Amino acid sequence: MRYHLTPVRMAIINKTNSNKCWRGCGEKGTLIHCWWECRLIQPLWKAVWRFLKKQKEDNIRCLTMFGPFGFECLPHQLVNRSIQQGFSFNLLCVGETGIGKSTLINTLFNTNLKDKKSSHFYPNVELKIQTYDLQESNVQLKLTVVKTVGYGDQINKEASYQPIVDYIDAQLEAYLQEELKIKRSFVDYHDSRIHVCLYFISPTGHSLKSLDLSTMKSIGSKVNIIPLIAKADTISKNDLQKFKCKIKSELVSNDIQIYQFPTDDETTAQVNTSMNGHLPFAVAGSMDEVKVGKRMVRGRQYPWGVIQVENENHCDFVKLRDMLLCTNMEDLKEQTHTLHYERYRCCKLQRIGFTDVGPDNQPVSFQETYEVKRQEFYDQCQREEEVLRQKFMQRVKEKEITFKEAEKELQDKFEQLKRVHQEETIKLEEEKRQLEEEIINFYKMKAGSETFQTQGCASIKKDKERKK
């Protein structure tokens, strides 16, 4: 004889906001609670278990359920697909040179990300972008780390934050352009939008620098900022608490937006609320292992003792790691897309001229807006073309007048030169005539002198002959 378990009750989910158990126990829960965890259903399952155990003792083969069935499998499908595709996360580290950005990132991901040390002599602020493929268990992560180079090293720090703002806007613009394409390829597209900005604050113990305030105020509406007090092992606990309070008051007074851990999820609301009170986190990083007692821990060895990185009594590194990687990584990515990117997209489309409602506060479709903008652009082009045509005709007329005046001047100059040439020709002809007359007279005089000379010689010759 065979016995089979057959589900006899199907779940019917109506559109309701109530998530109380339908069996009437008064507790809130999901389908799993209603079918398994509810105290009213437990006696039924116990009876079924006793029956199946008795059948097993009688060597009767029973139906074995190897896994969930129905739409209960949807979360497993999503998990499997996500694991196959892998995950991506983009970090922006903003802080002065040598403040410990690379060391903290290495400590966060428990790996040695090869990176060259930066110099303090950069003329301008630059960004160094590096991408790493990490794997933990069977989960693959594509990590992009963007670090500031030369930040705070210049004498004039007025525009030190501008390269950071330009880079964040460029990544949002690249995603918007990909989204506006006719043929999009988000499957192969690497989303380079910054998901979180770790802002490293120098442990001065006094207050935030003007550069810190201006930078966080400029990027606060574009990215999720988590402020960190770097090198927390260089300041005492009492001074650290005062420094945290001072930073919080300055952030509020300057209206600087920082990332707040979400409290709308019941599972993480209590932890996130507590962690929001610990901001900014005081962190210290190290990849060196130090022996404390009988075990090896990651920390820093000092003459007066050991700073344990993963000891919550020494620093807030564990809190940062849990909040950043274990609890709120997906919320950071969601906030980047739904809040910061949507704000950038809305402002960009409004600057172009697209709106959701018309002048009469009626919804306007994208096609209608496009046609209106296209007609406005066409009319504007026509007007500009007409203006350019008028300017061109005016310039042509001005050039014609200029050329005519130049031609008249050249003609007058030519007539003048012609008259001068004629006068010079007449003068030369007169001189030539006079010269020819002088030549004729010269030849006449020459002939006369020769005749006279010949006659004189003949007379002298006759006189000589007479004397003889």
Side-chain angles (χ1 to χ4, degrees), residues 71-91:
F71 56 83
E72 187 180 358
C73 303
L74 287 176
H76 301 281
Q77 298 178 25
L78 294 176
V79 169
N80 294 333
R81 178 175 296 180
S82 298
I83 291 176
Q84 291 176 2
Q85 294 178 351
F87 300 89
S88 64
F89 193 62
N90 302 325
L91 270 169

mmCIF file of all heavy atoms in Angstrom, residues 71-91:
data_model
loop_
_atom_site.group_PDB
_atom_site.id
_atom_site.type_symbol
_atom_site.label_atom_id
_atom_site.label_comp_id
_atom_site.label_asym_id
_atom_site.label_seq_id
_atom_site.Cartn_x
_atom_site.Cartn_y
_atom_site.Cartn_z
ATOM 1 N N PHE A 71 5.459 28.668 -6.898
ATOM 2 C CA PHE A 71 6.174 29.928 -7.018
ATOM 3 C C PHE A 71 7.077 30.204 -5.823
ATOM 4 O O PHE A 71 7.722 31.236 -5.740
ATOM 5 C CB PHE A 71 5.200 31.101 -7.222
ATOM 6 C CG PHE A 71 4.164 31.232 -6.140
ATOM 7 C CD1 PHE A 71 4.468 31.887 -4.971
ATOM 8 C CD2 PHE A 71 2.900 30.700 -6.308
ATOM 9 C CE1 PHE A 71 3.527 32.018 -3.973
ATOM 10 C CE2 PHE A 71 1.960 30.822 -5.315
ATOM 11 C CZ PHE A 71 2.256 31.486 -4.142
ATOM 12 N N GLU A 72 7.106 29.269 -4.886
ATOM 13 C CA GLU A 72 8.066 29.373 -3.799
ATOM 14 C C GLU A 72 9.512 29.283 -4.307
ATOM 15 O O GLU A 72 10.459 29.698 -3.636
ATOM 16 C CB GLU A 72 7.794 28.259 -2.788
ATOM 17 C CG GLU A 72 8.621 28.341 -1.522
ATOM 18 C CD GLU A 72 8.302 27.207 -0.566
ATOM 19 O OE1 GLU A 72 7.423 26.390 -0.885
ATOM 20 O OE2 GLU A 72 8.949 27.148 0.493
ATOM 21 N N CYS A 73 9.686 28.770 -5.532
ATOM 22 C CA CYS A 73 11.024 28.608 -6.120
ATOM 23 C C CYS A 73 11.561 29.901 -6.738
ATOM 24 O O CYS A 73 12.735 29.946 -7.130
ATOM 25 C CB CYS A 73 10.999 27.538 -7.216
ATOM 26 S SG CYS A 73 10.414 25.928 -6.666
ATOM 27 N N LEU A 74 10.733 30.948 -6.854
ATOM 28 C CA LEU A 74 11.184 32.172 -7.511
ATOM 29 C C LEU A 74 12.428 32.781 -6.863
ATOM 30 O O LEU A 74 13.361 33.172 -7.565
ATOM 31 C CB LEU A 74 10.045 33.195 -7.548
ATOM 32 C CG LEU A 74 8.911 32.905 -8.536
ATOM 33 C CD1 LEU A 74 7.816 33.936 -8.401
ATOM 34 C CD2 LEU A 74 9.449 32.871 -9.956
ATOM 35 N N PRO A 75 12.497 32.899 -5.527
ATOM 36 C CA PRO A 75 13.736 33.440 -4.955
ATOM 37 C C PRO A 75 14.974 32.632 -5.306
ATOM 38 O O PRO A 75 16.041 33.204 -5.538
ATOM 39 C CB PRO A 75 13.464 33.415 -3.444
ATOM 40 C CG PRO A 75 11.974 33.437 -3.326
ATOM 41 C CD PRO A 75 11.473 32.663 -4.505
ATOM 42 N N HIS A 76 14.816 31.301 -5.372
ATOM 43 C CA HIS A 76 15.964 30.471 -5.726
ATOM 44 C C HIS A 76 16.402 30.737 -7.161
ATOM 45 O O HIS A 76 17.605 30.745 -7.459
ATOM 46 C CB HIS A 76 15.610 28.993 -5.542
ATOM 47 C CG HIS A 76 15.207 28.643 -4.143
ATOM 48 N ND1 HIS A 76 16.113 28.462 -3.134
ATOM 49 C CD2 HIS A 76 13.973 28.451 -3.585
ATOM 50 C CE1 HIS A 76 15.476 28.163 -2.011
ATOM 51 N NE2 HIS A 76 14.168 28.161 -2.266
ATOM 52 N N GLN A 77 15.445 30.961 -8.059
ATOM 53 C CA GLN A 77 15.794 31.267 -9.442
ATOM 54 C C GLN A 77 16.565 32.587 -9.538
ATOM 55 O O GLN A 77 17.570 32.697 -10.255
ATOM 56 C CB GLN A 77 14.529 31.334 -10.298
ATOM 57 C CG GLN A 77 13.748 30.029 -10.367
ATOM 58 C CD GLN A 77 12.481 30.180 -11.183
ATOM 59 O OE1 GLN A 77 12.390 31.043 -12.041
ATOM 60 N NE2 GLN A 77 11.502 29.334 -10.902
ATOM 61 N N LEU A 78 16.084 33.596 -8.790
ATOM 62 C CA LEU A 78 16.770 34.884 -8.812
ATOM 63 C C LEU A 78 18.175 34.770 -8.235
ATOM 64 O O LEU A 78 19.127 35.366 -8.756
ATOM 65 C CB LEU A 78 15.960 35.915 -8.025
ATOM 66 C CG LEU A 78 14.603 36.302 -8.617
ATOM 67 C CD1 LEU A 78 13.880 37.259 -7.689
ATOM 68 C CD2 LEU A 78 14.774 36.935 -9.981
ATOM 69 N N VAL A 79 18.318 34.009 -7.158
ATOM 70 C CA VAL A 79 19.635 33.844 -6.548
ATOM 71 C C VAL A 79 20.584 33.155 -7.519
ATOM 72 O O VAL A 79 21.739 33.572 -7.712
ATOM 73 C CB VAL A 79 19.521 33.054 -5.231
ATOM 74 C CG1 VAL A 79 20.905 32.645 -4.732
ATOM 75 C CG2 VAL A 79 18.810 33.890 -4.183
ATOM 76 N N ASN A 80 20.119 32.091 -8.168
ATOM 77 C CA ASN A 80 20.980 31.367 -9.105
ATOM 78 C C ASN A 80 21.396 32.238 -10.281
ATOM 79 O O ASN A 80 22.562 32.223 -10.708
ATOM 80 C CB ASN A 80 20.261 30.114 -9.609
ATOM 81 C CG ASN A 80 20.031 29.098 -8.506
ATOM 82 O OD1 ASN A 80 20.783 29.059 -7.523
ATOM 83 N ND2 ASN A 80 18.991 28.281 -8.636
ATOM 84 N N ARG A 81 20.447 33.013 -10.815
ATOM 85 C CA ARG A 81 20.779 33.888 -11.943
ATOM 86 C C ARG A 81 21.763 34.972 -11.520
ATOM 87 O O ARG A 81 22.715 35.288 -12.257
ATOM 88 C CB ARG A 81 19.508 34.520 -12.496
ATOM 89 C CG ARG A 81 19.770 35.484 -13.639
ATOM 90 C CD ARG A 81 18.488 36.008 -14.237
ATOM 91 N NE ARG A 81 17.709 34.955 -14.857
ATOM 92 C CZ ARG A 81 16.534 35.157 -15.460
ATOM 93 N NH1 ARG A 81 16.034 36.389 -15.494
ATOM 94 N NH2 ARG A 81 15.872 34.157 -15.998
ATOM 95 N N SER A 82 21.561 35.537 -10.339
ATOM 96 C CA SER A 82 22.474 36.584 -9.868
ATOM 97 C C SER A 82 23.880 36.046 -9.658
ATOM 98 O O SER A 82 24.873 36.702 -9.982
ATOM 99 C CB SER A 82 21.944 37.187 -8.559
ATOM 100 O OG SER A 82 20.687 37.791 -8.760
ATOM 101 N N ILE A 83 23.965 34.824 -9.126
ATOM 102 C CA ILE A 83 25.285 34.223 -8.910
ATOM 103 C C ILE A 83 25.980 33.963 -10.241
ATOM 104 O O ILE A 83 27.194 34.172 -10.385
ATOM 105 C CB ILE A 83 25.147 32.933 -8.089
ATOM 106 C CG1 ILE A 83 24.722 33.265 -6.650
ATOM 107 C CG2 ILE A 83 26.453 32.146 -8.081
ATOM 108 C CD1 ILE A 83 24.479 32.056 -5.794
ATOM 109 N N GLN A 84 25.231 33.533 -11.240
ATOM 110 C CA GLN A 84 25.828 33.291 -12.550
ATOM 111 C C GLN A 84 26.304 34.583 -13.202
ATOM 112 O O GLN A 84 27.386 34.628 -13.805
ATOM 113 C CB GLN A 84 24.811 32.584 -13.458
ATOM 114 C CG GLN A 84 24.496 31.157 -13.036
ATOM 115 C CD GLN A 84 23.419 30.541 -13.905
ATOM 116 O OE1 GLN A 84 22.931 31.177 -14.847
ATOM 117 N NE2 GLN A 84 23.039 29.313 -13.611
ATOM 118 N N GLN A 85 25.507 35.637 -13.107
ATOM 119 C CA GLN A 85 25.881 36.913 -13.734
ATOM 120 C C GLN A 85 26.971 37.638 -12.957
ATOM 121 O O GLN A 85 27.745 38.392 -13.532
ATOM 122 C CB GLN A 85 24.649 37.819 -13.853
ATOM 123 C CG GLN A 85 23.602 37.291 -14.811
ATOM 124 C CD GLN A 85 22.381 38.197 -14.865
ATOM 125 O OE1 GLN A 85 22.251 39.129 -14.069
ATOM 126 N NE2 GLN A 85 21.476 37.919 -15.778
ATOM 127 N N GLY A 86 27.036 37.411 -11.661
ATOM 128 C CA GLY A 86 27.997 38.129 -10.846
ATOM 129 C C GLY A 86 27.471 39.493 -10.432
ATOM 130 O O GLY A 86 26.423 39.952 -10.894
ATOM 131 N N PHE A 87 28.217 40.154 -9.576
ATOM 132 C CA PHE A 87 27.806 41.442 -9.029
ATOM 133 C C PHE A 87 28.895 42.481 -9.325
ATOM 134 O O PHE A 87 30.042 42.138 -9.596
ATOM 135 C CB PHE A 87 27.580 41.337 -7.515
ATOM 136 C CG PHE A 87 26.519 40.343 -7.128
ATOM 137 C CD1 PHE A 87 26.850 39.015 -6.906
ATOM 138 C CD2 PHE A 87 25.200 40.729 -6.990
ATOM 139 C CE1 PHE A 87 25.881 38.089 -6.549
ATOM 140 C CE2 PHE A 87 24.225 39.815 -6.628
ATOM 141 C CZ PHE A 87 24.569 38.494 -6.415
ATOM 142 N N SER A 88 28.502 43.724 -9.255
ATOM 143 C CA SER A 88 29.445 44.826 -9.465
ATOM 144 C C SER A 88 29.225 45.869 -8.392
ATOM 145 O O SER A 88 28.105 46.065 -7.906
ATOM 146 C CB SER A 88 29.273 45.450 -10.853
ATOM 147 O OG SER A 88 27.991 46.042 -10.965
ATOM 148 N N PHE A 89 30.297 46.525 -8.020
ATOM 149 C CA PHE A 89 30.226 47.555 -6.984
ATOM 150 C C PHE A 89 31.315 48.573 -7.260
ATOM 151 O O PHE A 89 32.458 48.212 -7.544
ATOM 152 C CB PHE A 89 30.410 46.929 -5.599
ATOM 153 C CG PHE A 89 30.040 47.844 -4.469
ATOM 154 C CD1 PHE A 89 28.747 48.306 -4.332
ATOM 155 C CD2 PHE A 89 30.983 48.244 -3.535
ATOM 156 C CE1 PHE A 89 28.389 49.145 -3.293
ATOM 157 C CE2 PHE A 89 30.645 49.086 -2.491
ATOM 158 C CZ PHE A 89 29.343 49.530 -2.368
ATOM 159 N N ASN A 90 30.941 49.872 -7.194
ATOM 160 C CA ASN A 90 31.862 50.959 -7.529
ATOM 161 C C ASN A 90 32.060 51.856 -6.312
ATOM 162 O O ASN A 90 31.091 52.405 -5.767
ATOM 163 C CB ASN A 90 31.318 51.787 -8.697
ATOM 164 C CG ASN A 90 31.068 50.938 -9.930
ATOM 165 O OD1 ASN A 90 31.806 49.997 -10.194
ATOM 166 N ND2 ASN A 90 30.030 51.257 -10.674
ATOM 167 N N LEU A 91 33.298 51.982 -5.897
ATOM 168 C CA LEU A 91 33.670 52.757 -4.716
ATOM 169 C C LEU A 91 34.446 53.999 -5.123
ATOM 170 O O LEU A 91 35.298 53.941 -6.007
ATOM 171 C CB LEU A 91 34.554 51.922 -3.780
ATOM 172 C CG LEU A 91 33.885 51.075 -2.696
ATOM 173 C CD1 LEU A 91 34.910 50.156 -2.084
ATOM 174 C CD2 LEU A 91 33.281 51.957 -1.637
#
